[in-house]
Amino acid sequence: MSTEPPRARGRRTRAQILEHAATLFAERGFDAVSVAEIATAASAHPNQITYYFGSKDGLFVHAAFMLLLRDAERLEPVGRRRRTPAAFRTALARSALTLPAVPIAVQAMSIARRRPELRPVAEQGLAVLFRRAQSYLAAILDRHGWVIDRPADVEARTFWSTVLGARLISESGFDGRADDIDLAGVLTVRAPADPAP
């Protein structure tokens, strides 16, 4: 018999389900993964997924934002290595558009739009994404002495909204290329003496 307190055991089980679901969704997509497969991978019971997440949709939305937040952290070293504002803007834009979690997050937002009980999960995930991006941007500006032409929170939301929107358009069947979208142009990061990009 386990000596682990029930609440701690429940948190561990929930985290295991979420981790395994995120891996499976990232590898195969929402439609190709069943609740039973997730439960088996997590050494859990299918009814535990319903208990902790309400449904496969709920689990997917949670997993998608967890993946997006992890991928967003991978952008930080990319930007820190750049020595000029132009190189920073370009590197961040190119890297963000190729993050594997972005199309997953777009799909999750679509599900949350149709399922009102999941909207708070998406809203919270986006709020965390925007806050972290704002904090990262402030650190970059401070480190290099660069400036932006609008408040940092607006800069961060505008960047990520454009990333997500660009992938939504792409996932919707538009046959353009990634370089058809000037994501770097959305960022206003520049040296103080430079004109606005």
Side-chain angles (χ1 to χ4, degrees), residues 64-120:
F65 279 98
M66 183 179 78
L67 290 168
L68 181 61
L69 291 170
R70 285 182 183 169
D71 270 3
E73 285 180 12
R74 291 179 27 211
L75 285 180
E76 293 181 8
V78 171
R80 275 196 294 269
R81 289 191 296 262
R82 300 308 178 253
R83 300 286 178 236
T84 68
F88 172 82
R89 292 191 310 266
T90 300
L92 221 56
R94 285 184 182 159
S95 298
L97 286 172
T98 63
L99 292 176
V102 171
I104 297 168
V106 167
Q107 185 178 7
M109 285 186 285
S110 177
I111 290 170
R113 184 176 166 269
R114 294 188 315 268
R115 303 277 306 269
E117 73 277 11
L118 296 176
R119 286 183 188 160

Side-chain angles (χ1 to χ4, degrees), residues 73-194:
E73 285 180 12
R74 291 179 27 211
L75 285 180
E76 293 181 8
V78 171
R80 275 196 294 269
R81 289 191 296 262
R82 300 308 178 253
R83 300 286 178 236
T84 68
F88 172 82
R89 292 191 310 266
T90 300
L92 221 56
R94 285 184 182 159
S95 298
L97 286 172
T98 63
L99 292 176
V102 171
I104 297 168
V106 167
Q107 185 178 7
M109 285 186 285
S110 177
I111 290 170
R113 184 176 166 269
R114 294 188 315 268
R115 303 277 306 269
E117 73 277 11
L118 296 176
R119 286 183 188 160
V121 177
E123 289 169 0
Q124 180 183 9
L126 288 171
V128 171
L129 176 70
F130 297 156
R131 249 189 340 268
R132 287 183 183 176
Q134 178 184 349
S135 176
Y136 167 69
L137 179 61
I140 289 290
L141 297 175
D142 186 53
R143 177 180 181 180
H144 294 286
W146 298 341
V147 296
I148 51 178
D149 296 336
R150 55 187 163 214
D153 62 327
V154 175
E155 186 91 354
R157 281 195 313 268
T158 300
F159 175 76
W160 278 107
S161 296
T162 306
V163 169
L164 294 165
R167 284 308 292 260
L168 174 61
I169 291 169
S170 173
E171 299 293 318
S172 296
F174 177 71
D175 62 353
R177 298 177 321 272
D179 58 357
D180 289 340
I181 298 167
D182 182 16
L183 182 55
V186 169
L187 293 168
T188 67
V189 177
R190 62 184 174 79
D194 293 344

